[in-house]
Amino acid sequence: VGKGAPKGNALNKEEVGKLQTYLRKVFANKTVEVRARERAGDAAEVYIGGEFVALVSKDIEDGETSYQLAMSILDYDLEDEA
C-alpha cells in the first residue's frame, strides 16, 4: 500500500508557493512559511515566526479544488494567555 495522498491531491511546489503568498497576505505577516512535507505530499506545514502552527491540505471534489488549513491549539497553550 502506497503512502501519502492520491497523486491528484498531492501539493506541488507551485501550490506551496502560492499558498505561502496568500497566507502572508491574509495574516499580514511576512514570517509565514509553507513547507512541503518530505515524506507525505498530502499536506504542507505552516510556520509563523519559525514555529509550526498548522497543516494545509488540498481537496478536489466535483472538479473544484480547495485548500483546508487545520490548526490545533492545546489547552495548556491557552493558560499562558489567561
Side-chain angles (χ1 to χ4, degrees):
V1 176
K3 293 184 179 180
K7 205 166 185 96
N9 284 6
L11 289 167
N12 63 44
K13 188 175 183 176
E14 181 181 355
E15 289 173 309
V16 168
K18 287 180 177 183
L19 287 164
Q20 178 171 290
T21 299
Y22 175 78
L23 292 173
R24 283 180 175 181
K25 180 178 156 186
V26 167
F27 293 125
N29 189 326
K30 292 183 181 191
T31 69
V32 173
E33 287 182 73
V34 179
R35 302 178 192 168
R37 295 168 77 184
E38 289 184 28
R39 296 191 177 173
D42 62 339
E45 299 174 342
V46 179
Y47 293 80
I48 298 178
E51 183 177 345
F52 172 78
V53 295
L55 288 175
V56 63
S57 59
K58 179 168 74 170
D59 183 41
I60 301 172
E61 188 173 319
D62 298 330
E64 293 187 9
T65 302
S66 63
Y67 301 89
Q68 286 78 36
L69 183 69
M71 180 178 187
S72 296
I73 301 169
L74 303 174
D75 61 347
Y76 62 81
D77 289 332
L78 297 176
E79 292 174 10
D80 293 339
E81 303 303 318

